[in-house]
PDB file of all heavy atoms in Angstrom:
ATOM      1  N   SER A1289     -51.634   3.434  -7.646  1.00  0.00           N
ATOM      2  CA  SER A1289     -51.952   4.529  -8.541  1.00  0.00           C
ATOM      3  C   SER A1289     -52.432   5.712  -7.714  1.00  0.00           C
ATOM      4  O   SER A1289     -53.438   5.612  -7.009  1.00  0.00           O
ATOM      5  CB  SER A1289     -53.041   4.097  -9.527  1.00  0.00           C
ATOM      6  OG  SER A1289     -53.426   5.183 -10.342  1.00  0.00           O
ATOM      7  N   VAL A1290     -51.684   6.800  -7.793  1.00  0.00           N
ATOM      8  CA  VAL A1290     -52.062   8.030  -7.105  1.00  0.00           C
ATOM      9  C   VAL A1290     -52.324   9.069  -8.188  1.00  0.00           C
ATOM     10  O   VAL A1290     -51.433   9.399  -8.972  1.00  0.00           O
ATOM     11  CB  VAL A1290     -50.960   8.514  -6.137  1.00  0.00           C
ATOM     12  CG1 VAL A1290     -51.427   9.753  -5.374  1.00  0.00           C
ATOM     13  CG2 VAL A1290     -50.558   7.406  -5.169  1.00  0.00           C
ATOM     14  N   ILE A1291     -53.552   9.553  -8.235  1.00  0.00           N
ATOM     15  CA  ILE A1291     -53.973  10.482  -9.275  1.00  0.00           C
ATOM     16  C   ILE A1291     -54.206  11.852  -8.635  1.00  0.00           C
ATOM     17  O   ILE A1291     -54.912  11.967  -7.632  1.00  0.00           O
ATOM     18  CB  ILE A1291     -55.246   9.975  -9.965  1.00  0.00           C
ATOM     19  CG1 ILE A1291     -54.979   8.583 -10.586  1.00  0.00           C
ATOM     20  CG2 ILE A1291     -55.728  10.964 -11.025  1.00  0.00           C
ATOM     21  CD1 ILE A1291     -56.217   7.860 -11.052  1.00  0.00           C
ATOM     22  N   ARG A1292     -53.610  12.876  -9.217  1.00  0.00           N
ATOM     23  CA  ARG A1292     -53.716  14.236  -8.659  1.00  0.00           C
ATOM     24  C   ARG A1292     -55.179  14.665  -8.590  1.00  0.00           C
ATOM     25  O   ARG A1292     -55.953  14.436  -9.505  1.00  0.00           O
ATOM     26  CB  ARG A1292     -52.933  15.229  -9.509  1.00  0.00           C
ATOM     27  CG  ARG A1292     -52.897  16.618  -8.885  1.00  0.00           C
ATOM     28  CD  ARG A1292     -52.124  17.619  -9.707  1.00  0.00           C
ATOM     29  NE  ARG A1292     -50.727  17.271  -9.863  1.00  0.00           N
ATOM     30  CZ  ARG A1292     -49.762  17.531  -8.969  1.00  0.00           C
ATOM     31  NH1 ARG A1292     -50.085  18.101  -7.827  1.00  0.00           N
ATOM     32  NH2 ARG A1292     -48.520  17.212  -9.221  1.00  0.00           N
ATOM     33  N   GLY A1293     -55.508  15.274  -7.480  1.00  0.00           N
ATOM     34  CA  GLY A1293     -56.847  15.838  -7.289  1.00  0.00           C
ATOM     35  C   GLY A1293     -56.743  17.340  -7.094  1.00  0.00           C
ATOM     36  O   GLY A1293     -55.739  17.963  -7.463  1.00  0.00           O
ATOM     37  N   ALA A1294     -57.738  17.899  -6.467  1.00  0.00           N
ATOM     38  CA  ALA A1294     -57.810  19.343  -6.293  1.00  0.00           C
ATOM     39  C   ALA A1294     -57.094  19.840  -5.043  1.00  0.00           C
ATOM     40  O   ALA A1294     -56.995  21.038  -4.820  1.00  0.00           O
ATOM     41  CB  ALA A1294     -59.274  19.778  -6.250  1.00  0.00           C
ATOM     42  N   THR A1295     -56.579  18.921  -4.210  1.00  0.00           N
ATOM     43  CA  THR A1295     -55.925  19.329  -2.964  1.00  0.00           C
ATOM     44  C   THR A1295     -54.455  18.899  -2.969  1.00  0.00           C
ATOM     45  O   THR A1295     -53.993  18.234  -3.890  1.00  0.00           O
ATOM     46  CB  THR A1295     -56.622  18.687  -1.746  1.00  0.00           C
ATOM     47  OG1 THR A1295     -56.374  17.284  -1.763  1.00  0.00           O
ATOM     48  CG2 THR A1295     -58.121  18.963  -1.760  1.00  0.00           C
ATOM     49  N   THR A1296     -53.751  19.220  -1.901  1.00  0.00           N
ATOM     50  CA  THR A1296     -52.334  18.850  -1.781  1.00  0.00           C
ATOM     51  C   THR A1296     -52.146  17.414  -1.297  1.00  0.00           C
ATOM     52  O   THR A1296     -51.009  16.973  -1.117  1.00  0.00           O
ATOM     53  CB  THR A1296     -51.606  19.807  -0.818  1.00  0.00           C
ATOM     54  OG1 THR A1296     -52.254  19.743   0.462  1.00  0.00           O
ATOM     55  CG2 THR A1296     -51.614  21.230  -1.345  1.00  0.00           C
ATOM     56  N   HIS A1297     -53.228  16.685  -1.107  1.00  0.00           N
ATOM     57  CA  HIS A1297     -53.150  15.292  -0.653  1.00  0.00           C
ATOM     58  C   HIS A1297     -52.234  14.467  -1.565  1.00  0.00           C
ATOM     59  O   HIS A1297     -51.471  13.623  -1.098  1.00  0.00           O
ATOM     60  CB  HIS A1297     -54.559  14.688  -0.613  1.00  0.00           C
ATOM     61  CG  HIS A1297     -54.607  13.293  -0.097  1.00  0.00           C
ATOM     62  ND1 HIS A1297     -54.384  12.980   1.222  1.00  0.00           N
ATOM     63  CD2 HIS A1297     -54.856  12.121  -0.730  1.00  0.00           C
ATOM     64  CE1 HIS A1297     -54.484  11.678   1.386  1.00  0.00           C
ATOM     65  NE2 HIS A1297     -54.770  11.124   0.209  1.00  0.00           N
ATOM     66  N   TYR A1298     -52.295  14.700  -2.862  1.00  0.00           N
ATOM     67  CA  TYR A1298     -51.479  13.989  -3.846  1.00  0.00           C
ATOM     68  C   TYR A1298     -49.996  14.074  -3.485  1.00  0.00           C
ATOM     69  O   TYR A1298     -49.299  13.060  -3.431  1.00  0.00           O
ATOM     70  CB  TYR A1298     -51.740  14.587  -5.233  1.00  0.00           C
ATOM     71  CG  TYR A1298     -50.819  14.105  -6.326  1.00  0.00           C
ATOM     72  CD1 TYR A1298     -51.141  12.966  -7.061  1.00  0.00           C
ATOM     73  CD2 TYR A1298     -49.655  14.795  -6.644  1.00  0.00           C
ATOM     74  CE1 TYR A1298     -50.315  12.526  -8.079  1.00  0.00           C
ATOM     75  CE2 TYR A1298     -48.830  14.358  -7.659  1.00  0.00           C
ATOM     76  CZ  TYR A1298     -49.158  13.225  -8.376  1.00  0.00           C
ATOM     77  OH  TYR A1298     -48.334  12.783  -9.383  1.00  0.00           O
ATOM     78  N   GLU A1299     -49.501  15.289  -3.248  1.00  0.00           N
ATOM     79  CA  GLU A1299     -48.086  15.486  -2.932  1.00  0.00           C
ATOM     80  C   GLU A1299     -47.692  14.761  -1.646  1.00  0.00           C
ATOM     81  O   GLU A1299     -46.632  14.150  -1.570  1.00  0.00           O
ATOM     82  CB  GLU A1299     -47.732  16.975  -2.811  1.00  0.00           C
ATOM     83  CG  GLU A1299     -47.635  17.702  -4.134  1.00  0.00           C
ATOM     84  CD  GLU A1299     -48.982  18.217  -4.643  1.00  0.00           C
ATOM     85  OE1 GLU A1299     -50.003  18.099  -3.923  1.00  0.00           O
ATOM     86  OE2 GLU A1299     -49.012  18.721  -5.782  1.00  0.00           O
ATOM     87  N   VAL A1300     -48.530  14.830  -0.650  1.00  0.00           N
ATOM     88  CA  VAL A1300     -48.246  14.177   0.632  1.00  0.00           C
ATOM     89  C   VAL A1300     -48.131  12.666   0.437  1.00  0.00           C
ATOM     90  O   VAL A1300     -47.177  12.033   0.898  1.00  0.00           O
ATOM     91  CB  VAL A1300     -49.345  14.510   1.670  1.00  0.00           C
ATOM     92  CG1 VAL A1300     -49.195  13.672   2.922  1.00  0.00           C
ATOM     93  CG2 VAL A1300     -49.336  15.997   2.004  1.00  0.00           C
ATOM     94  N   VAL A1301     -49.085  12.076  -0.255  1.00  0.00           N
ATOM     95  CA  VAL A1301     -49.091  10.624  -0.465  1.00  0.00           C
ATOM     96  C   VAL A1301     -47.904  10.190  -1.315  1.00  0.00           C
ATOM     97  O   VAL A1301     -47.193   9.240  -0.968  1.00  0.00           O
ATOM     98  CB  VAL A1301     -50.428  10.162  -1.096  1.00  0.00           C
ATOM     99  CG1 VAL A1301     -50.367   8.697  -1.504  1.00  0.00           C
ATOM    100  CG2 VAL A1301     -51.582  10.412  -0.139  1.00  0.00           C
ATOM    101  N   VAL A1302     -47.668  10.863  -2.413  1.00  0.00           N
ATOM    102  CA  VAL A1302     -46.571  10.482  -3.310  1.00  0.00           C
ATOM    103  C   VAL A1302     -45.227  10.590  -2.603  1.00  0.00           C
ATOM    104  O   VAL A1302     -44.396   9.682  -2.684  1.00  0.00           O
ATOM    105  CB  VAL A1302     -46.593  11.331  -4.602  1.00  0.00           C
ATOM    106  CG1 VAL A1302     -45.320  11.135  -5.417  1.00  0.00           C
ATOM    107  CG2 VAL A1302     -47.820  10.995  -5.433  1.00  0.00           C
ATOM    108  N   GLU A1303     -44.998  11.685  -1.895  1.00  0.00           N
ATOM    109  CA  GLU A1303     -43.719  11.873  -1.212  1.00  0.00           C
ATOM    110  C   GLU A1303     -43.497  10.819  -0.127  1.00  0.00           C
ATOM    111  O   GLU A1303     -42.431  10.201  -0.053  1.00  0.00           O
ATOM    112  CB  GLU A1303     -43.634  13.270  -0.601  1.00  0.00           C
ATOM    113  CG  GLU A1303     -42.267  13.564  -0.025  1.00  0.00           C
ATOM    114  CD  GLU A1303     -42.139  14.996   0.458  1.00  0.00           C
ATOM    115  OE1 GLU A1303     -42.716  15.898  -0.166  1.00  0.00           O
ATOM    116  OE2 GLU A1303     -41.438  15.200   1.472  1.00  0.00           O
ATOM    117  N   ALA A1304     -44.492  10.585   0.697  1.00  0.00           N
ATOM    118  CA  ALA A1304     -44.353   9.603   1.780  1.00  0.00           C
ATOM    119  C   ALA A1304     -44.185   8.190   1.232  1.00  0.00           C
ATOM    120  O   ALA A1304     -43.338   7.423   1.710  1.00  0.00           O
ATOM    121  CB  ALA A1304     -45.561   9.675   2.704  1.00  0.00           C
ATOM    122  N   CYS A1305     -44.960   7.852   0.239  1.00  0.00           N
ATOM    123  CA  CYS A1305     -44.899   6.506  -0.326  1.00  0.00           C
ATOM    124  C   CYS A1305     -43.558   6.259  -1.009  1.00  0.00           C
ATOM    125  O   CYS A1305     -42.921   5.225  -0.782  1.00  0.00           O
ATOM    126  CB  CYS A1305     -46.054   6.302  -1.301  1.00  0.00           C
ATOM    127  SG  CYS A1305     -46.113   4.644  -1.995  1.00  0.00           S
ATOM    128  N   SER A1306     -43.113   7.185  -1.825  1.00  0.00           N
ATOM    129  CA  SER A1306     -41.845   6.983  -2.533  1.00  0.00           C
ATOM    130  C   SER A1306     -40.674   6.924  -1.570  1.00  0.00           C
ATOM    131  O   SER A1306     -39.779   6.080  -1.711  1.00  0.00           O
ATOM    132  CB  SER A1306     -41.631   8.052  -3.606  1.00  0.00           C
ATOM    133  OG  SER A1306     -41.538   9.335  -3.041  1.00  0.00           O
ATOM    134  N   ALA A1307     -40.675   7.783  -0.566  1.00  0.00           N
ATOM    135  CA  ALA A1307     -39.592   7.760   0.428  1.00  0.00           C
ATOM    136  C   ALA A1307     -39.621   6.452   1.220  1.00  0.00           C
ATOM    137  O   ALA A1307     -38.567   5.859   1.490  1.00  0.00           O
ATOM    138  CB  ALA A1307     -39.707   8.958   1.367  1.00  0.00           C
ATOM    139  N   GLY A1308     -40.804   5.987   1.573  1.00  0.00           N
ATOM    140  CA  GLY A1308     -40.927   4.749   2.333  1.00  0.00           C
ATOM    141  C   GLY A1308     -40.464   3.534   1.552  1.00  0.00           C
ATOM    142  O   GLY A1308     -39.749   2.675   2.074  1.00  0.00           O
ATOM    143  N   VAL A1309     -40.844   3.453   0.292  1.00  0.00           N
ATOM    144  CA  VAL A1309     -40.425   2.332  -0.554  1.00  0.00           C
ATOM    145  C   VAL A1309     -38.906   2.342  -0.716  1.00  0.00           C
ATOM    146  O   VAL A1309     -38.250   1.303  -0.586  1.00  0.00           O
ATOM    147  CB  VAL A1309     -41.146   2.364  -1.923  1.00  0.00           C
ATOM    148  CG1 VAL A1309     -40.516   1.384  -2.911  1.00  0.00           C
ATOM    149  CG2 VAL A1309     -42.635   2.069  -1.746  1.00  0.00           C
ATOM    150  N   ALA A1310     -38.331   3.510  -0.970  1.00  0.00           N
ATOM    151  CA  ALA A1310     -36.877   3.611  -1.107  1.00  0.00           C
ATOM    152  C   ALA A1310     -36.180   3.201   0.183  1.00  0.00           C
ATOM    153  O   ALA A1310     -35.163   2.489   0.155  1.00  0.00           O
ATOM    154  CB  ALA A1310     -36.484   5.034  -1.502  1.00  0.00           C
ATOM    155  N   GLN A1311     -36.714   3.622   1.309  1.00  0.00           N
ATOM    156  CA  GLN A1311     -36.109   3.301   2.602  1.00  0.00           C
ATOM    157  C   GLN A1311     -36.078   1.795   2.860  1.00  0.00           C
ATOM    158  O   GLN A1311     -35.104   1.271   3.385  1.00  0.00           O
ATOM    159  CB  GLN A1311     -36.843   4.013   3.737  1.00  0.00           C
ATOM    160  CG  GLN A1311     -36.229   3.788   5.107  1.00  0.00           C
ATOM    161  CD  GLN A1311     -34.775   4.259   5.191  1.00  0.00           C
ATOM    162  OE1 GLN A1311     -34.407   5.272   4.625  1.00  0.00           O
ATOM    163  NE2 GLN A1311     -33.945   3.505   5.896  1.00  0.00           N
ATOM    164  N   VAL A1312     -37.133   1.099   2.480  1.00  0.00           N
ATOM    165  CA  VAL A1312     -37.175  -0.360   2.672  1.00  0.00           C
ATOM    166  C   VAL A1312     -36.025  -1.011   1.907  1.00  0.00           C
ATOM    167  O   VAL A1312     -35.296  -1.850   2.445  1.00  0.00           O
ATOM    168  CB  VAL A1312     -38.528  -0.953   2.231  1.00  0.00           C
ATOM    169  CG1 VAL A1312     -38.473  -2.474   2.195  1.00  0.00           C
ATOM    170  CG2 VAL A1312     -39.642  -0.482   3.160  1.00  0.00           C
ATOM    171  N   GLY A1313     -35.847  -0.633   0.669  1.00  0.00           N
ATOM    172  CA  GLY A1313     -34.769  -1.203  -0.132  1.00  0.00           C
ATOM    173  C   GLY A1313     -33.400  -0.918   0.455  1.00  0.00           C
ATOM    174  O   GLY A1313     -32.542  -1.806   0.527  1.00  0.00           O
ATOM    175  N   LEU A1314     -33.196   0.307   0.894  1.00  0.00           N
ATOM    176  CA  LEU A1314     -31.908   0.677   1.472  1.00  0.00           C
ATOM    177  C   LEU A1314     -31.661  -0.008   2.809  1.00  0.00           C
ATOM    178  O   LEU A1314     -30.554  -0.455   3.096  1.00  0.00           O
ATOM    179  CB  LEU A1314     -31.828   2.198   1.638  1.00  0.00           C
ATOM    180  CG  LEU A1314     -31.781   2.995   0.334  1.00  0.00           C
ATOM    181  CD1 LEU A1314     -31.932   4.487   0.624  1.00  0.00           C
ATOM    182  CD2 LEU A1314     -30.497   2.714  -0.424  1.00  0.00           C
ATOM    183  N   GLU A1315     -32.687  -0.098   3.624  1.00  0.00           N
ATOM    184  CA  GLU A1315     -32.534  -0.678   4.960  1.00  0.00           C
ATOM    185  C   GLU A1315     -32.302  -2.186   4.924  1.00  0.00           C
ATOM    186  O   GLU A1315     -31.501  -2.719   5.689  1.00  0.00           O
ATOM    187  CB  GLU A1315     -33.775  -0.372   5.800  1.00  0.00           C
ATOM    188  CG  GLU A1315     -33.705  -0.870   7.226  1.00  0.00           C
ATOM    189  CD  GLU A1315     -34.923  -0.485   8.049  1.00  0.00           C
ATOM    190  OE1 GLU A1315     -35.631   0.477   7.690  1.00  0.00           O
ATOM    191  OE2 GLU A1315     -35.177  -1.162   9.067  1.00  0.00           O
ATOM    192  N   PHE A1316     -32.988  -2.882   4.022  1.00  0.00           N
ATOM    193  CA  PHE A1316     -32.939  -4.340   4.028  1.00  0.00           C
ATOM    194  C   PHE A1316     -32.121  -4.937   2.884  1.00  0.00           C
ATOM    195  O   PHE A1316     -31.893  -6.140   2.861  1.00  0.00           O
ATOM    196  CB  PHE A1316     -34.356  -4.919   4.025  1.00  0.00           C
ATOM    197  CG  PHE A1316     -35.083  -4.634   5.298  1.00  0.00           C
ATOM    198  CD1 PHE A1316     -35.920  -3.531   5.397  1.00  0.00           C
ATOM    199  CD2 PHE A1316     -34.895  -5.425   6.421  1.00  0.00           C
ATOM    200  CE1 PHE A1316     -36.581  -3.240   6.583  1.00  0.00           C
ATOM    201  CE2 PHE A1316     -35.544  -5.138   7.611  1.00  0.00           C
ATOM    202  CZ  PHE A1316     -36.386  -4.039   7.692  1.00  0.00           C
ATOM    203  N   GLY A1317     -31.697  -4.121   1.928  1.00  0.00           N
ATOM    204  CA  GLY A1317     -30.901  -4.637   0.825  1.00  0.00           C
ATOM    205  C   GLY A1317     -31.677  -5.524  -0.130  1.00  0.00           C
ATOM    206  O   GLY A1317     -31.091  -6.270  -0.904  1.00  0.00           O
ATOM    207  N   VAL A1318     -32.989  -5.431  -0.084  1.00  0.00           N
ATOM    208  CA  VAL A1318     -33.852  -6.196  -0.987  1.00  0.00           C
ATOM    209  C   VAL A1318     -34.317  -5.234  -2.087  1.00  0.00           C
ATOM    210  O   VAL A1318     -34.825  -4.150  -1.774  1.00  0.00           O
ATOM    211  CB  VAL A1318     -35.090  -6.751  -0.239  1.00  0.00           C
ATOM    212  CG1 VAL A1318     -36.046  -7.446  -1.201  1.00  0.00           C
ATOM    213  CG2 VAL A1318     -34.668  -7.681   0.875  1.00  0.00           C
ATOM    214  N   PRO A1319     -34.138  -5.602  -3.354  1.00  0.00           N
ATOM    215  CA  PRO A1319     -34.656  -4.727  -4.400  1.00  0.00           C
ATOM    216  C   PRO A1319     -36.143  -4.446  -4.166  1.00  0.00           C
ATOM    217  O   PRO A1319     -36.950  -5.373  -4.080  1.00  0.00           O
ATOM    218  CB  PRO A1319     -34.427  -5.541  -5.683  1.00  0.00           C
ATOM    219  CG  PRO A1319     -33.264  -6.427  -5.356  1.00  0.00           C
ATOM    220  CD  PRO A1319     -33.460  -6.782  -3.898  1.00  0.00           C
TER     221      PRO A1319
END
């Protein structure tokens, strides 16, 4: 759970996390 705060930290965390999770699925073929 990433909840928006008063800084840009939210965007950094959400973008990195979502890209990383997607990459794992694509790289290893595991849903």
Side-chain angles (χ1 to χ4, degrees):
S1289 176
V1290 183
I1291 301 168
R1292 186 180 298 277
T1295 69
T1296 59
H1297 183 71
Y1298 171 89
E1299 285 85 5
V1300 171
V1301 172
V1302 169
E1303 187 174 324
C1305 183
S1306 63
V1309 168
Q1311 183 59 38
V1312 170
L1314 292 171
E1315 183 177 339
F1316 293 95
V1318 175

